[in-house]
Amino acid sequence: MKYNLREMTVEDINDVIEGEIKAFGTTLGYDLIYTDLTFNPYAHYMVLEIDKLVHGYIGLWINDNSEIINFYVDEEYRGLGFGEMMLDFAIKLCELSKVYNLSLEVRESNAVARNLYKKHGFVFSHKRERYYDNGEDALVLIKSFGDVK
Ligand SMILES: CC(C)(COP(=O)(O)OP(=O)(O)OC[C@H]1O[C@@H](n2cnc3c(N)ncnc32)[C@H](O)[C@@H]1OP(=O)(O)O)[C@@H](O)C(=O)NCCC(=O)NCCS
């Protein structure tokens, strides 16, 4: 198995949409991702390529207060360390960019992702009530990088 993490391009959008729908039952949508890739200087999207096919991605906006926009690994490749590899990369990018903190939203029921984020120093900040379509709350988690400026 050959894998790498590389910058996402417009040509990857349809693969990523397919993967998002499999992972979440929903997608950020072509237009949002296209606009981010093309016009948003704060957006950084990386795809996980395994044997030359896209099997995951992580998107983030890097600013003083950065955010993970979306993140998944295809089900057949989970539990192999790829999620951790992508999250580590995102955290490194934030460190290099000297951001103050990195936040994200996660479903309260998503124990796997919550474990991963906890392992990487994210802590609970607050809840967004009934944030998801099914009425589930989102937990906002934050990793602080301290006063790095
Ligand atoms: C969350 C996700 C990206 C993790 O990716 P992954 O490649 O499976 O994760 P890894 O193999 O790198 O595992 C890293 C850590 O995640 C947690 N984890 C992974 N699989 C787990 C499981 N089955 N049960 C509990 N924790 C688990 C553990 O903390 C693990 O660290 P450890 O191996 O030291 O215990 C993946 O499960 C996924 O795509 N889920 C669906 C989409 C999603 O929930 N995205 C996040 C939205 S906020």
Side-chain angles (χ1 to χ4, degrees):
M1 178 167 42
K2 283 196 174 155
Y3 62 86
N4 70 311
L5 201 55
R6 64 163 172 80
E7 209 169 313
M8 180 173 167
T9 70
V10 168
E11 284 71 38
D12 299 314
I13 296 178
N14 286 327
D15 290 338
V16 160
I17 286 177
E18 222 175 277
E20 283 182 323
I21 290 171
K22 279 194 272 170
F24 305 110
T26 179
T27 168
L28 294 180
Y30 192 97
D31 292 351
L32 188 150
I33 300 175
Y34 179 86
T35 307
D36 253 6
L37 288 181
T38 315
F39 299 111
N40 182 353
Y42 301 108
H44 296 261
Y45 283 68
M46 306 297 298
V47 291
L48 168 69
E49 213 175 43
I50 302 174
D51 295 333
K52 299 199 173 154
L53 294 174
V54 171
H55 284 294
Y57 95 131
I58 190 161
L60 63 158
W61 290 343
I62 296 193
N63 205 332
D64 277 356
N65 300 305
S66 299
E67 265 180 81
I68 293 181
I69 304 303
N70 222 357
F71 171 37
Y72 76 84
V73 173
D74 275 343
E75 199 169 0
E76 59 270 39
Y77 291 102
R78 289 182 195 157
L80 300 174
F82 290 120
E84 187 147 46
M85 182 180 86
M86 287 199 280
L87 186 63
D88 264 342
F89 189 90
I91 290 170
K92 277 279 168 343
L93 266 185
C94 289
E95 283 170 354
L96 288 171
S97 306
K98 301 196 182 305
V99 310
Y100 292 118
N101 53 57
L102 174 62
S103 68
L104 57 88
E105 281 134 9
V106 62
R107 281 179 188 270
E108 198 157 20
S109 62
N110 193 346
V112 170
R114 287 178 62 185
N115 274 346
L116 172 59
Y117 296 135
K118 188 174 177 195
K119 188 175 168 189
H120 287 268
F122 286 82
V123 296
F124 173 75
S125 167
H126 57 281
K127 262 188 193 186
R128 294 208 166 112
E129 286 187 12
R130 303 184 63 77
Y131 182 79
Y132 296 103
D133 285 349
N134 68 349
E136 188 174 352
D137 294 344
L139 305 185
V140 178
L141 307 183
I142 296 191
K143 178 178 172 68
S144 172
F145 293 90
D147 188 10
V148 290
K149 299 259 163 167

